[in-house]
Amino acid sequence: MAESRSQAAPGPAGVPAAYPDPRVLALLDRLARLQEERGHASIGLAAREVGMAQPNASRLLRAFERVHGVYLLERSPRGSRLTERGAAVAAWAGQVMGDYDSLLAGLAALRGEETVHLRISASQTIAEYLLPGWLARFRAARPEAHVALRVANSQAVAADVRSHAADLGFIESPRVPGGVRGRVLGGDSLVVVARPDHPALAGPPLGAAALAAQPLLVREAGSGTRDVVDAALAAHGGPTIAAALTSTAALKVSAAAGLAPAALSALTVAEELRAGRLASLPLAADLDLSRPLRALWPADRRPRGAAQEFLALASAPEE
């Protein structure tokens, strides 16, 4: 006989095990999206997007598998993939999370809360690897807020802020673009990655001249990543471009396939380096590929209200 609700074993925070933890549903929803975009499901990235540490995310997923008897993920050193049943559960999870968001919005309306609108434009690296955590913390503080996010390269982000199409912008450019004001939030650095059998891995560290002569995969002109590469190699005629691509994922796949080494943010390739799918070429100590992470706002308008709150949150160190 099926177990009644009152007999179900308690789950996290006293929720019956028959009712899946909403955090697991949010993770599954993001895992499905990541697998569609990248070809594999990154637990670490999905965890960051919901504001959770990876060990906690893995523990919750395994607990869900154990309690509900459904094997969700095929895990391997090369990454994770949703099983056929896991993909079905993730699709249902996405529907539930959509209804859950509607519930929260309805409750806010019943409380008579005024909706807070915040428009953010962010470059690709920040949007994928830093903004999810910031957004999770902001939503915890302002659950009634509606945030509109546009992802573009640094040049387009600055244009959005300059034209007041965005209240805040986030870029990785070495300079503050004209017509806007900014604040440095932290730092990042580029690495040059290639297939683990690339000949340059066995050679001496590459200085600026040697790197300029090495055909590279780079981002398109106007991106913060490209700006750093161009500036670092300007004295040697700039980079020798094997291909310019508009997607970080495309650069990683092309480098792993052996087309050419790629210049990318260390944040974006940490998982591939750990798994051994890519390797970092040795670079000379005097080759500076560092860059600041900046917040931008219109030159004629200081951040206020929700924008001021979000900027303070993004500027605060992670707890």
Side-chain angles (χ1 to χ4, degrees):
M1 180 179 297
E3 189 172 44
S4 69
R5 289 184 180 180
S6 62
Q7 294 172 318
V15 177
Y19 300 141
D21 188 329
R23 294 174 298 173
V24 178
L25 300 184
L27 279 168
L28 286 169
D29 183 36
R30 283 155 176 79
L31 285 167
R33 180 178 58 78
L34 289 169
Q35 181 164 301
E36 181 179 352
E37 293 176 356
R38 298 163 174 258
H40 67 279
S42 167
I43 297 176
L45 183 52
R48 286 198 294 273
E49 290 190 0
V50 300
M52 187 185 302
Q54 180 172 345
N56 293 337
S58 296
R59 176 179 55 78
L60 286 172
L61 289 167
R62 291 186 186 279
F64 182 99
E65 290 177 323
R66 184 175 63 254
V67 169
H68 295 280
V70 177
Y71 186 46
L72 299 172
L73 289 162
E74 295 175 349
R75 301 168 177 86
S76 74
R78 293 177 296 177
S80 299
R81 285 190 61 82
L82 288 164
T83 63
E84 185 176 342
R85 292 185 177 186
V89 175
W92 297 326
Q95 297 172 20
V96 172
M97 293 311 297
D99 290 340
Y100 190 76
D101 288 341
S102 297
L103 169 64
L104 293 177
L107 289 171
L110 290 173
R111 290 195 302 268
E113 295 177 348
E114 181 182 356
T115 300
V116 176
H117 293 277
L118 177 62
R119 300 165 302 162
I120 294 174
S121 186
S123 56
Q124 196 170 112
T125 300
I126 291 179
E128 291 185 7
Y129 293 89
L130 296 175
L131 258 178
W134 298 343
L135 288 169
R137 291 160 61 194
F138 182 68
R139 181 165 184 174
R142 298 294 298 267
E144 79 282 8
H146 174 75
V147 180
L149 171 63
R150 174 170 129 85
V151 181
N153 67 30
S154 292
Q155 190 176 73
V157 170
D160 285 348
V161 174
R162 193 180 299 116
S163 66
H164 300 286
D167 304 302
L168 288 174
F170 296 93
I171 63 173
E172 309 101 358
S173 176
R175 296 172 299 279
V176 178
V180 300
R181 299 182 65 184
R183 174 191 298 174
V184 174
L185 302 178
D188 183 26
S189 184
L190 302 189
V191 292
V192 180
V193 295
R195 280 175 55 141
D197 60 352
H198 194 280
L201 289 165
L206 301 173
L211 188 60
Q214 165 69 57
L216 288 177
L217 300 169
V218 294
R219 284 286 306 277
E220 81 282 7
S223 79
T225 301
R226 176 67 175 276
D227 286 347
V228 173
V229 175
D230 287 350
L233 305 182
H236 302 279
T240 300
I241 299 175
L245 306 173
T246 59
S247 162
T248 297
L251 286 173
K252 291 195 284 189
V253 170
S254 298
L259 179 58
L264 287 164
S265 163
L267 289 171
T268 68
V269 293
E271 184 175 337
E272 286 78 6
L273 292 174
R274 282 195 300 268
R277 294 189 294 274
L278 290 170
S280 179
L281 270 59
L283 301 177
D286 61 350
L287 180 59
D288 184 13
L289 294 178
S290 63
R291 60 182 181 174
L293 304 177
R294 298 181 187 275
L296 305 179
W297 56 88
D300 60 350
R301 181 189 302 169
R302 291 191 61 82
R304 59 181 183 271
Q308 184 179 28
E309 292 177 29
F310 193 91
L311 181 59
L313 182 151
S315 303
E318 293 278 350
E319 295 183 355

